[in-house]
Amino acid sequence: MFTRPQAASILGVSMGGIDKLLESRFLSDLKQQAVIALANSPHVRVLDGRLPVLRTAAHRDATLSDHDDQARKYIGASPTMSDDELLQASNRWWRSNPTEILASGLLVVAISGFIVAVLQVHSLARSQPDRKGLLRHAYDASLLCRMDDLADASTKRVCLERLSPRDRDACLALLGCRVRTVAGGPIAYVDPVEGAELPAAKVQPVYQLGS
């Protein structure tokens, strides 16, 4: 069993990042096998455009201060959430660039840089200002796939059965991968240069679904 500082060093994340992985339950413990499995996860490399990433944390009850419209119970992510709860927690209300997100068509959900779910974004559903007057956006989206344990690939599953075999494989391949993002806040982006310096075996390319 690794200590928290040891695991943080091996994974290249902060102590807070380790806490998020454990609190969210996407990493059940710090056993050596689990931590090493995460350390060997490939990095995402975007082939074209930008990949939007929702950088989230362990799930908790949603409140009005979370810019909620009372349509969701939680924010954050956890393996214990239903598909609908995870979708509702992930597709709204974000300060973001709708043009870029709609151009990508995807929004990946990540905990401490590890992808735990993939959403397909169809359209901009609604925009509204928060209490500070800052515009936030909600997206019409579908939950494509998710995983329950970052150290166990067998927990990956498809949530939208009408995906083509190619899109299904591309979606599942993203789960468990690592993302290095640019821009701050909950919504960030992976640029096309991401992963270019990494060995090919450590890179998972992103393809446009449905293309």
Side-chain angles (χ1 to χ4, degrees), residues 1 5 16 21 27 53 96 104 132 183 204-205:
M1 185 82 73
L21 288 168
L27 181 64
V53 179
S96 54
S104 170
K132 296 181 179 180
Q204 173 59 50

Side-chain angles (χ1 to χ4, degrees), residues 26 37-38 40-44 51 86 106-111 113-119 143-159 163 167-179 204-206:
F26 285 105
L38 264 65
N40 289 328
S41 299
H43 288 75
V44 164
L51 177 67
L86 181 56
L106 294 178
L107 178 62
V108 301
V109 181
I111 301 280
F114 294 88
I115 298 176
V116 297
V118 181
L119 275 61
L143 181 63
L144 295 181
C145 59
R146 62 186 296 186
M147 72 184 304
D148 296 335
D149 186 338
L150 284 165
D152 184 357
S154 70
T155 66
K156 296 181 180 182
R157 56 187 173 89
V158 173
C159 304
L163 286 177
D167 286 353
R168 179 183 183 278
D169 291 344
C171 176
L172 290 174
L174 285 173
L175 294 175
C177 288
R178 305 189 71 166
V179 285
Q204 173 59 50
V206 175

Side-chain angles (χ1 to χ4, degrees), residues 21-199:
L21 288 168
L22 294 172
E23 290 169 3
S24 66
R25 302 183 185 178
F26 285 105
L27 181 64
S28 57
D29 54 49
L30 298 180
K31 291 180 180 178
Q32 294 186 14
Q33 183 177 3
V35 174
I36 292 173
L38 264 65
N40 289 328
S41 299
H43 288 75
V44 164
R45 178 181 177 184
V46 176
L47 302 180
D48 187 29
R50 305 181 85 193
L51 177 67
V53 179
L54 169 60
R55 302 185 292 192
T56 193
H59 88 294
R60 62 176 174 82
D61 291 344
T63 66
L64 291 179
S65 63
D66 296 315
H67 324 291
D68 199 6
D69 59 1
Q70 299 182 352
R72 62 179 177 179
K73 294 173 59 178
Y74 308 109
I75 61 171
S78 168
T80 62
M81 298 169 73
S82 70
D83 289 352
D84 186 61
E85 289 170 346
L86 181 56
L87 174 61
Q88 297 295 329
S90 303
N91 71 344
R92 66 189 69 187
W93 290 96
W94 308 118
R95 291 176 58 191
S96 54
N97 184 331
T99 299
E100 287 195 315
I101 291 181
L102 293 175
S104 170
L106 294 178
L107 178 62
V108 301
V109 181
I111 301 280
S112 302
F114 294 88
I115 298 176
V116 297
V118 181
L119 275 61
Q120 186 169 25
V121 180
H122 308 296
S123 63
L124 179 64
R126 184 178 166 191
S127 300
Q128 66 181 35
D130 60 21
R131 295 181 179 183
K132 296 181 179 180
L134 301 173
L135 194 61
R136 295 177 179 270
H137 308 286
Y139 296 93
D140 176 26
S142 301
L143 181 63
L144 295 181
C145 59
R146 62 186 296 186
M147 72 184 304
D148 296 335
D149 186 338
L150 284 165
D152 184 357
S154 70
T155 66
K156 296 181 180 182
R157 56 187 173 89
V158 173
C159 304
L160 193 66
E161 294 300 332
R162 65 175 180 267
L163 286 177
S164 69
R166 176 184 178 276
D167 286 353
R168 179 183 183 278
D169 291 344
C171 176
L172 290 174
L174 285 173
L175 294 175
C177 288
R178 305 189 71 166
V179 285
R180 292 177 181 172
T181 54
V182 295
I187 298 291
Y189 302 88
V190 182
D191 284 334
V193 296
E194 174 60 40
E197 77 288 355
L198 298 170

